[in-house]
Amino acid sequence: MKRAYILERYKDIHNDGWPVLRTVYTIRMVGEAETQYEKFLKREEYRAPQFLETFNRILRQLATMVNTTGFLRTAVREEDGYDALPMGKGHIRLLVIRWTTRTIILGNGGFKFTRTHQESEDLNPHRILIKEVSKLLLEYIEEHNLTEGECGGFFNEDAHICDPIILEA
């Protein structure tokens, strides 16, 4: 059976009343109600005292990027085919695809107590998923001749924003 992913604009990250200058997508598996990012946000373990500071730092970094700085390369940890938050120390990672300074795709994440993401039983499934989405998105963009808008987001030749984007493996 083929795997299918839906990239949809994430509407729950506010922009403090300023015009929207960036676009945030999130990943939903076809047939699932929650996005990968919503699953990340709902994990209760992140709110334990020893992890809460890192969890909150991830949310603050993401809000700063959306509202102020954009999705700068220096604001994320570059990995092999994807990126991760937070910058700095901590045992929680949110996996993302930083497409440009104007567009980011939020995945899921997990705990990292190992040297690499691949070695983490909690993080590795999300790493595999986000790498596959990144690869499929690149193919989709080339196949459908999409471009990025001034405020981020993917647009077709008729200048219509692509929301949602369905990717099939």
Side-chain angles (χ1 to χ4, degrees):
M1 183 175 171
K2 283 188 167 185
R3 289 174 310 286
Y5 309 99
I6 302 169
L7 292 186
E8 54 195 25
R9 285 189 296 169
Y10 189 67
K11 296 166 180 59
D12 287 344
I13 294 181
H14 63 80
N15 63 354
D16 291 340
W18 295 96
V20 176
L21 300 175
R22 288 163 263 300
T23 301
V24 178
Y25 285 93
T26 188
I27 304 163
R28 180 187 310 272
M29 303 286 291
V30 168
E32 292 187 2
E34 293 180 317
T35 68
Q36 294 296 300
Y37 182 64
E38 289 167 335
K39 291 177 184 180
F40 175 81
L41 290 175
K42 287 186 174 183
R43 279 195 61 181
E44 288 298 319
E45 303 99 302
Y46 297 153
R47 288 158 182 83
Q50 66 270 34
F51 304 119
L52 187 58
E53 191 280 323
T54 301
F55 180 70
N56 286 334
R57 187 163 21 102
I58 290 169
L59 299 182
R60 282 192 312 271
Q61 284 181 331
L62 189 55
T64 297
M65 289 188 290
V66 169
N67 295 318
T68 310
T69 63
F71 310 115
L72 301 174
R73 172 64 55 211
T74 56
V76 296
R77 294 171 179 263
E78 290 185 63
E79 302 294 339
D80 181 27
Y82 63 99
D83 302 289
L85 292 172
M87 290 303 288
K89 295 181 180 180
H91 292 292
I92 302 171
R93 297 290 184 270
L94 171 62
L95 306 185
V96 302
I97 302 167
R98 180 208 157 275
W99 199 259
T100 67
T101 58
R102 299 179 305 244
T103 304
I104 197 168
I105 299 136
L106 306 178
N108 202 331
F111 288 107
K112 180 184 178 280
F113 296 107
T114 57
R115 190 177 59 78
T116 67
H117 292 179
Q118 295 91 321
E119 295 168 351
S120 169
E121 288 182 22
D122 191 38
L123 210 47
N124 194 45
H126 306 302
R127 180 190 71 83
I128 292 168
L129 183 146
I130 205 153
K131 283 184 73 157
E132 181 171 51
V133 167
S134 182
K135 177 182 170 282
L136 292 170
L137 179 59
L138 186 59
E139 293 168 1
Y140 186 92
I141 287 170
E142 289 174 2
E143 183 179 318
H144 293 87
N145 199 27
L146 301 185
T147 59
E148 186 182 32
E150 286 183 27
C151 298
F154 301 107
F155 288 80
N156 64 22
E157 292 174 329
D158 297 325
H160 294 109
I161 192 158
C162 298
D163 181 30
I165 297 172
I166 299 174
L167 305 171
E168 294 186 30

